[in-house]
Structure formats: C-alpha cells, structure tokens
Amino acid sequence: MLVVTKFGGSSLSCATQFEKVKNIVTSDPKRKIVVVSALGKRQSSDTKITDLLFILHAHLKYSVPYEDIWQMLYDRFVGVEKELGIDYDITKDLDALKEELNKNISQDYLVSRGEYLTAKLMSKYLGYTFVDAKDLLIYNYDGVLDDAQTEKNVKLAFSKYGTIVVPGFYGSYPNGSVKLLSRGGSDVTGSILAKCLNVSLYENWTDVSGILAADPRIIKNPKSIKEITYAELRELSYMGFSVLHEETVFPVQQLNIPINLKNTNDPQNPGTIIRNVCTDNENIVTGIAGRKDFISFNISKDHMSNEIGFMCKTLAIFEKYNVSIEHVPSGIDSFSVVVAQSSVEKCQYELVTELKTQLNCNVTVEKDIALVAVVGRNMAKRSGVCAKVFQTLGTEKINVKLLAQGPSELNIIIGVAGGDYDKTLSSLYESLIA
Ligand code: ASP
C-alpha cells in the first residue's frame, strides 16, 4: 500500500513547517512519494516564492533592476536551509541560477525553480531521493500529457529509489524544456503520480482541515465536509469553491483513488475524503456555492416553439463570438441564455444586434445575476429538497430569476439578483446544512 503526499506552500513556509511535514511523512511508512509546492507565505504580508519568481521574470524581460527581488528569494531559501541544518549547500544552486538570469530566460523554467529548490531542501531533510519532475511528467507539444511515457518514467524512478520527493507544478516537453502547469498545479502533479503508481490514497496537505460546506467569507464557521464525491467536488469547484486545482480529480478518478485533504497544522483532524462513492448518507445537501456577475439574454419570438432549429441558430451566434454558455432556461416561445458577464464585455452589442437581425426575435438583457448551486449526491430521487429551497427563499423574500437542475439531480442552480447573493447563500445554508 502506497500513499502520495502533496504539501502546499503554506506547509513549507519555514523550518517549523518543514518539521511538521517530516513528522507527518515519517509517521506512516506508506508515505513514500512526496510532492511539494514552492515555499509559501510565513505571514500574510509575505510574498509567495512563485509570485516572486513571476515578478523576477517580468523585471528581467523589461530590463528593470532586479537585485532586490533576487535577494528576497535568495534569503528565503538560504534561511530555510540554515534553520534546517541540512547537508545541502543551496547557495551553489542559487548562484548557478543567478548565472542563468537574462532577458530571454524562459518564464516556465524560472518559475519552476521555486518547486525545484523546495523539493531539493525537502529531499535532503527527509533523506528521500530528489527526482526532477521534468524527467517524469512528459507533455506533448500541444500541452497534453503523454500518459504512457509519464507512467513509465514514474514507475522506473520509484522502483529505483523507493522513497522520493518530486517538485510539483511542472514537467517537460519532449525536447526537455520545462513546461509549467497553471497556478496551483502541484495538486495535479500529485494526482498524476498517484495514478501512475496506482496508490491506495492521495493525501493533499494544506492549512485548512478539509473542505467547508460554504464560503467562510459569507457564512460564519461553516461545517466542514467529511466525505464528498468527485462529481460533487467538480460542481462546487466550478461554482466557486477553490480547494484544489480543478484538474486534480481527473487522473485519480479513473482508478478511484481517494483524495484526502488534510491540515498540516492539525494532522489529527480527518479532513475531507473525496472519492467515487461515499458511504456517509447523513447529509442531504453537501455544500452550497455560488458565483456572481452573470448576464442573461432573454430571447422571445411568437410561435418560436414551432420553429425547428431556432435554439440551435441562437447558440451558434454565441459560439461565433466565442462565448461559453452557462445555462439555457426555457419557456414555450422564449428562453434565456445565461453567460458570464466578463465573456461578453467586448461583444455584447454586436451579439444582440446579430441575434435580432438574424433571428428576427426580441432580445432583452438582464445584468448582475448571481447563480447559487445547492449540491448533494443524496438529493437524487428524494422529494422535498426543492420545496425547502423555495420555502426558504420565499420567507426571505428573495426572487428566483432562473432555476436549473441537471439530469443527475446532483445540483439545483438558482439565479437571483446580485444584491440578494449573500442572503441567498446564508439562508439556504441555515435551512439545508446548519
Ligand atoms: N507554487 C505554484 C503556485 O503558487 C504551484 C502550486 O503551489 O501548486 O501556483
């Protein structure tokens, strides 16, 4: 039985955090594969190493003096090395990197050095072998992971060394140049390694004890979720939960490897388990999430219901303007197309004109719509959930502008005015979860 353990930047901000990581890793012999992000913030005023590296790159690119930024980076790494008292002279690697700094240095390469150096520190500290992610995760030139080659590399490295530390957040192209993943991508690295080695568990350690059932900026002390399915997490992430990188679930989901989100600062807390099938059927609603700033194009035309292909033609116009469609609630001779406001910022007027002229229909536009998703695997085939939602919103005098429920009955999406957003979230949380 093997476990991949991934630690985020806040679990790696200073020597004290490194010590906590070591205690966690060594307390379970199954934790043989460790993935790290770059050193994170020690306090809120700090700048993350990754952010410093992005800033450094911009300075180099525009030939702006960068010594101060370099010094901050240097001091952070050397500081941790000294505090840990390990047998690794990080100044050599830093000096070599300094030599490489120039106007044309690749951003992907430079930024990846945050994870690279952090992994080197961690490997020395744990006594595990450092394995460079660029020799493991191989991406085709179109940015798609070469699954077969990656799996081969990972299996080989693991069988050779037995206990490894791998920097997250990057891999390489076939020519060896570094390919950076999108922000938060170390979560994905961990997931890919978990899949390649078909481990029994993927642990993702951060500074929170699992996933909260609602946004703590709006709901005071929301409950944390003990168990959640991959599908529920996908719905909640899409609607605003920022727990894991959204690509994280895909590799492990294929093999049904559970993800356990845990808190490095409170390792005894069980955190949240994410898996295909959950056994805990206690809660009907798992979580409530939401996003603001949607816009609705309300389209109507007499006898629309008899006009075959009308909706198809409408959606094709949205496609032409490269606008991603969120929801299409419909009536008999009318329907609405709900999209993110930001996606039509530059094309709203042309889009409306084209809809009117091409389709000979009426179009009105309603801005400032918020969408709230009530998500729960246990809602399916159960009566009364919608009734409770409407009763709550009715009591609060919140007007429902649109409503959608997917065929899986995993979520109920409610559209309300932006100004009602906080009240909608808090009243639904109180009646459905608290
Ligand atoms: N260090 C990178 C970031 O800040 C990647 C990661 O932490 O996963 O986005």
Side-chain angles (χ1 to χ4, degrees), residues 142-291:
D142 60 5
V144 176
L145 186 75
D146 180 340
D147 285 307
Q149 189 58 49
T150 300
E151 188 173 323
K152 218 165 126 189
N153 296 342
V154 173
K155 282 186 167 150
L156 196 73
F158 179 66
S159 65
K160 195 162 165 196
Y161 303 114
T163 49
I164 56 174
V165 175
V166 180
F169 196 30
Y170 71 96
S172 67
Y173 291 110
N175 67 0
S177 63
V178 165
K179 177 202 165 12
L180 202 64
L181 309 189
S182 52
R183 293 301 303 260
S186 302
D187 288 341
V188 185
T189 310
S191 186
I192 293 169
L193 297 191
K195 182 194 156 204
C196 290
L197 295 169
N198 196 3
V199 300
S200 55
L201 181 66
Y202 171 28
E203 289 179 334
N204 194 297
W205 294 80
T206 65
D207 56 357
V208 284
S209 296
I211 305 173
L212 300 173
D215 186 344
R217 289 168 301 185
I218 297 170
I219 316 291
K220 223 171 158 195
N221 295 326
K223 284 186 178 171
S224 59
I225 299 171
K226 281 195 214 124
E227 277 191 293
I228 184 169
T229 63
Y230 300 120
E232 286 175 300
L233 181 68
R234 169 88 182 123
E235 297 283 347
L236 289 167
S237 305
Y238 187 74
M239 288 301 286
F241 273 33
S242 55
V243 215
L244 286 171
H245 187 291
E246 58 176 21
E247 293 295 316
T248 310
V249 297
F250 295 109
V252 288
Q253 188 173 9
Q254 293 171 20
L255 298 179
N256 196 15
I257 299 167
I259 307 173
N260 191 3
L261 270 158
K262 301 256 300 174
N263 187 350
T264 302
N265 304 318
D266 182 13
Q268 298 314 322
N269 192 310
T272 302
I273 285 272
I274 307 157
R275 52 159 67 110
N276 247 347
V277 181
C278 293
T279 48
D280 163 18
N281 293 328
E282 215 173 278
N283 304 313
I284 296 168
V285 172
T286 306
I288 299 177
R291 273 162 63 196

Side-chain angles (χ1 to χ4, degrees), residues 48-97:
K48 285 174 75 166
I49 286 291
T50 304
D51 293 327
L52 280 176
L53 286 161
F54 273 113
I55 299 169
L56 175 63
H57 183 262
H59 279 62
L60 288 162
K61 187 170 165 196
Y62 296 107
S63 306
V64 177
Y66 59 82
E67 279 301 331
D68 290 358
I69 294 160
W70 172 256
Q71 201 56 48
M72 281 165 86
L73 278 159
Y74 190 92
D75 291 346
R76 285 293 307 278
F77 279 114
V78 174
V80 174
E81 184 232 326
K82 291 264 156 352
E83 276 184 277
L84 292 176
I86 47 178
D87 173 27
Y88 162 44
D89 184 4
I90 198 168
T91 59
K92 279 205 186 105
D93 277 339
L94 286 164
D95 291 341
L97 178 59

